[in-house]
Amino acid sequence: MSSALGGKAAIVGIGATDFSKDSGRSELRLAAEAVTAALDDAGLSAADVHGLTTFTMDTNTQAAVARAVGIPNLTFFSNIPFGGGAACATVQQAAMAVATGIADVVVAYRGFNERSGHRFGQFSTQLATAPTSSGVDAAWGYPQGLGTPAAQVAMVARRYMHVYGATSADFGRIAVADRKHAAVNPAAHFYGKPITLEEHQNSRWIAEPLHLLDCCQETDGAVAIVVTSVERARDLPQRPAVIAAAAQGSGPDQYVMTSYYRDAMTGLPEMALVGHQLWTQSGLRPDDMQAAILYDHFTPFVLMQLEELGFCGRGDAKHFIADGAIERGGRLPLNTHGGQLGEAYIHGMNGISEAVRQIRGTSVNQVEGLEHIVVTAGTGVPTSGLVLSAN
């Protein structure tokens, strides 16, 4: 795969709406605004676009977005399943289309009113009674009260704490770092609002051992990302973020948020699979990454990702993140935009945009001398990841 994809495509444009709790406009309008902004950023027009990729959960079809933006023809379109796990895969498929000549310019997008409209974190009996494989899977947990993402993650987090000695305070250090980064990001919902570890520990329980401040936001908004060939990128105004690697992964005994039947409930095998592909494709290693954007819908899964990706050993993430290591100036600055805990929850797409800003040198928490950055998508589900490079 590396010979066919790695280094063949680049992200040349990023765009986003404002991030809010009540956008006051339709999800289609949000998507169209983000796509238009991304094309403007790339120095391209709607007529240049040949493909659109998004999530199966997005309510905006590619045909509708094309009409709204003014894209005349599409030769490629795709939808990626599994919620937030789709984020990096939308860019992967865009890069595949570009690398194989199916499309010259592809835009990945995600737009929703996740706070003022449909709220994914709410209990849904409709899911548990659906006559589908997903409904059958959900029916095992819903009767026991495991009907929200927080409750489902809490089970795995508790087991991880028991086996490796991690504490709620260790989880809290992820939240504190994210909010510290968000506090200087004008686009972030929590701009100007850092938190202390004590505030994290005193926030109310959602599903023990998860506090309120361990859980991501609910956000209205949209993000779009423009992908084209490395050759064409050289003639465009922005510094390209070269897609050095892109991967998807679904691990053994994989369920959606409830993979409780594995021999061990202390990790995320699907992320290890993604990581192996990323390092193999790119020829890079964890030590080559100057920063990381790790999907942070719940803090415990950030620690597990550090271990699965090889930044540290099993159970060692609590030590790896100590003493400011994941803050700007540390050994691995993490979620420098504030993440989904601090900036916004756009199913991971805003994290990809931040990785592009780091490559460009325009992040509000810029890491000096950055050449490579790893990005991950949703955890607890089949997932995806990217390595972006400066050249």
Side-chain angles (χ1 to χ4, degrees):
M1 184 181 294
S2 59
S3 62
L5 180 60
K8 301 294 180 64
I11 298 173
V12 295
I14 54 176
T17 65
D18 57 306
F19 303 137
S20 73
K21 302 303 178 185
D22 187 358
S23 71
R25 52 213 198 266
S26 71
E27 293 183 334
L28 177 57
R29 179 171 171 179
L30 291 172
E33 288 181 12
V35 171
T36 299
L39 289 171
D40 288 345
D41 181 62
L44 296 168
S45 70
D48 293 311
V49 178
H50 304 109
L52 292 170
T53 63
T54 190
F55 296 52
T56 55
M57 296 177 74
D58 202 290
T59 62
N60 309 297
T61 68
Q62 290 89 343
V65 171
R67 291 195 307 269
V69 174
I71 299 168
N73 299 296
L74 292 175
T75 60
F76 176 73
F77 33 89
S78 69
N79 294 59
I80 317 298
F82 304 116
C88 295
T90 64
V91 175
Q92 180 201 38
Q93 291 210 2
M96 289 167 63
V98 168
T100 56
I102 291 173
D104 187 39
V105 175
V106 181
V107 183
Y109 66 89
R110 180 75 172 108
F112 54 26
N113 286 318
E114 204 271 334
R115 181 59 180 85
S116 66
H118 176 69
R119 299 170 67 182
F120 300 126
Q122 302 298 298
F123 200 95
S124 172
T125 55
Q126 181 180 3
L127 173 62
T129 58
T132 63
S133 62
S134 295
V136 172
D137 292 350
W140 287 101
Y142 269 64
Q144 283 71 47
L146 296 174
T148 67
Q152 293 161 346
V153 171
M155 289 273 286
V156 182
R158 181 63 78 189
R159 180 65 181 168
Y160 180 83
M161 295 169 80
H162 174 76
V163 173
Y164 293 127
T167 66
S168 173
D170 294 323
F171 301 156
R173 291 183 179 90
I174 299 294
V176 170
D178 274 13
R179 288 288 294 271
K180 183 176 182 178
H181 295 151
V184 295
N185 176 7
H189 179 72
F190 287 113
Y191 176 54
K193 297 178 180 179
I195 60 170
T196 64
L197 187 57
E198 181 180 12
E199 288 172 322
H200 170 273
Q201 292 288 278
N202 290 333
S203 64
R204 63 184 174 89
W205 293 113
I206 297 300
E208 292 190 49
L210 301 181
H211 289 275
L212 174 66
L213 295 179
D214 286 307
C215 307
C216 70
Q217 303 178 67
E218 295 174 303
T219 306
D220 289 6
V223 171
I225 297 162
V226 182
V227 177
T228 191
S229 67
V230 169
E231 291 75 17
R232 185 165 187 182
R234 297 189 183 106
D235 297 325
L236 297 176
Q238 301 290 356
R239 183 182 189 182
V242 176
I243 300 168
Q248 290 180 275
S250 180
D253 289 325
Q254 179 83 65
Y255 285 74
V256 175
M257 302 302 294
T258 59
S259 299
Y260 302 145
Y261 308 102
R262 292 167 166 166
D263 292 338
M265 245 184 9
T266 55
L268 302 162
E270 55 279 0
M271 190 57 72
L273 177 59
V274 167
H276 175 74
Q277 293 176 80
L278 294 180
W279 309 137
T280 299
Q281 287 182 36
S282 66
L284 301 168
R285 305 301 300 164
D287 288 347
D288 295 314
M289 301 297 111
Q290 288 87 35
I293 307 294
L294 302 185
Y295 200 93
D296 59 339
H297 57 344
F298 299 102
T299 56
F301 279 178
V302 176
L303 272 68
M304 295 179 200
Q305 287 180 81
L306 288 167
E307 295 168 8
E308 298 289 7
L309 292 170
F311 286 102
C312 56
R314 297 283 181 188
D316 290 339
K318 62 183 182 294
H319 304 302
F320 182 89
I321 67 171
D323 302 322
I326 55 173
E327 296 178 7
R328 181 182 177 186
R331 75 171 72 127
L332 186 73
L334 188 70
N335 297 341
T336 47
H337 57 317
Q340 296 177 119
L341 293 166
E343 184 187 57
Y345 176 69
I346 311 293
H347 260 162
M349 296 293 278
N350 51 317
I352 302 173
S353 293
E354 172 63 11
V356 174
R357 287 190 290 268
Q358 284 289 351
I359 293 293
R360 292 179 178 181
T362 60
S363 170
V364 295
N365 289 297
Q366 184 62 41
V367 176
E368 297 302 322
L370 186 140
E371 295 182 355
H372 310 292
I373 186 168
V374 62
V375 189
T376 62
T379 42
V381 298
T383 189
S384 54
L386 299 168
V387 170
L388 302 183
S389 295
N391 51 53

